Amino acid sequence: ETGPFGKVLLLDGKLQSAEADERVYHECLVHPALLHHPNPKRVFICGGGEGSTAREVLKHKSVEKVVMVDIDKVVCDFCEKHLEDNAETFKDPRLDLIIDDAKAQLENQKDGEFDVIIGDLADPVFGGPCYQLYTQEFYENIVKAKLGPGGIFVTQSGPAGVLAHSEVFTPINRTLSSVFPKVIPFLQHIPSFADCWGWNMAFKDADSAAPLAANEIDERIQDRITGGSDALKFMDGVTWTGITSLSKILRTSLNSEKHVLTVATPKFIHGKGVKQVEY
């Protein structure tokens, strides 16, 4: 429990989400991808153990199956017990929760199996296990193969403020652009993260209609999400226009980025998080 951010989730000293603004993060991660897909039925979530990503996915009426793979059972069980907003998510019959390595599980799925794949993974930190799921090899050999026609992949992409965006946000965009014909970067300030945060959305088909106009986003929210616009706290058409309208600094960096992330040439986010101190 904290003062300004309410209940927060910390893993290895790093803040993962806060009760006060987690819906901003998760609505940005989930809804643009599902709304851009014409009829999302099958969704795969890499990570997402706290359940908030699945909660947002399951608001879409068309969704029939959600496969969520997180490596940490302790996190999933803890969040199901202590995050009240997500308790029902874990009980939804459409959710298939698998405790395992997301990369291995996705690799074992049938080709073309999913309409949307979501990367809700921990940041690529030095010595951590997740950096391989931000690489060209993963995107080309696994993600792209498992997406069906018209498929969309979206991933959280780390800090995206004017000072930190070149750590991993722009390299992830460049890496995805080396694999997919169309990639849309977007960002939004997340107060509990103390910075703007970035996402990248990649389309398997070059002729996908994207980005959608604000009025089309609003129409799809109303038609395709249970509860319509009232079900979302942050995302709507004007918001979508705003988070995809990047500053000159960001646009320049994205256009000039050359680094393609591979297993041999990764990049990492700096920082070790906070530590508990005994008094």
Side-chain angles (χ1 to χ4, degrees):
E1 290 286 350
T2 68
F5 300 121
K7 195 176 291 184
V8 303
L9 174 65
L10 293 163
L11 293 179
D12 299 324
K14 281 187 169 289
L15 191 146
Q16 304 298 308
S17 72
E19 191 176 36
D21 58 14
E22 63 89 358
R23 288 181 184 271
V24 177
Y25 170 91
H26 289 104
E27 288 185 20
C28 286
L29 175 66
V30 170
H31 297 299
L34 269 75
L35 292 169
H36 275 78
H37 193 282
N39 188 28
K41 293 183 177 181
R42 299 181 64 85
V43 178
F44 189 99
I45 302 172
C46 303
E50 71 178 88
S52 299
T53 298
R55 179 196 69 214
E56 296 303 317
V57 170
L58 290 166
K59 291 178 180 179
H60 288 255
K61 300 173 187 177
S62 63
V63 170
E64 299 173 354
K65 182 77 170 181
V66 181
V67 179
M68 183 173 86
V69 184
D70 196 284
I71 202 167
D72 197 331
K73 186 177 190 301
V74 173
V75 170
C76 295
D77 291 345
F78 184 87
C79 291
E80 182 177 4
K81 179 179 180 181
H82 293 284
L83 299 182
E84 293 85 357
D85 284 353
N86 298 345
E88 293 303 313
T89 298
F90 288 95
K91 299 180 177 68
D92 194 300
R94 294 172 292 170
L95 177 66
D96 181 11
L97 171 59
I98 301 171
I99 305 300
D100 199 1
D101 175 66
K103 178 174 177 286
Q105 281 290 329
L106 184 56
E107 191 170 20
N108 289 333
Q109 301 289 331
K110 294 187 297 184
D111 286 355
E113 179 72 3
F114 295 99
D115 301 308
V116 176
I117 298 174
I118 300 172
D120 187 19
L121 298 157
D123 298 327
V125 294
F126 184 77
C130 286
Y131 79 92
Q132 294 189 39
L133 282 75
Y134 293 93
T135 62
Q136 187 183 51
E137 293 94 335
F138 177 63
Y139 298 151
E140 179 68 57
N141 300 329
I142 300 178
V143 173
K144 191 175 183 180
K146 305 309 174 182
L147 286 171
I152 298 172
F153 172 66
V154 63
T155 182
Q156 79 90 7
S157 301
V162 294
L163 299 181
H165 64 270
S166 60
E167 287 185 354
V168 293
F169 175 65
T170 57
I172 290 171
N173 179 271
R174 177 68 184 89
T175 304
L176 285 168
S177 297
S178 74
V179 174
F180 293 93
K182 181 179 291 187
V183 181
I184 297 177
F186 52 102
L187 60 88
Q188 168 61 33
H189 183 251
I190 307 293
S192 63
F193 290 174
D195 205 346
C196 291
W197 213 253
W199 300 264
N200 280 285
M201 182 167 61
F203 296 79
K204 186 172 183 178
D205 296 346
D207 59 354
S208 296
L212 293 174
N215 65 311
E216 182 63 24
I217 290 287
D218 287 335
E219 289 174 11
R220 293 190 183 193
I221 288 172
Q222 206 60 37
D223 293 342
R224 292 164 45 168
I225 291 180
T226 301
S229 61
D230 291 339
L232 303 185
K233 180 178 181 179
F234 180 75
M235 184 60 61
D236 65 4
V238 172
T239 298
W240 170 243
T241 301
I243 64 177
T244 54
S245 300
L246 307 187
S247 71
K248 182 178 180 180
I249 291 175
L250 269 292
R251 298 196 312 273
T252 300
S253 293
L254 286 162
N255 289 334
S256 62
E257 181 63 65
K258 303 298 182 186
H259 192 110
V260 173
L261 302 169
T262 69
V263 173
T265 61
K267 290 189 76 176
F268 301 105
I269 289 177
H270 302 294
K272 296 182 179 179
V274 297
K275 294 182 178 179
Q276 183 172 333
V277 178
E278 297 293 340
Y279 291 98

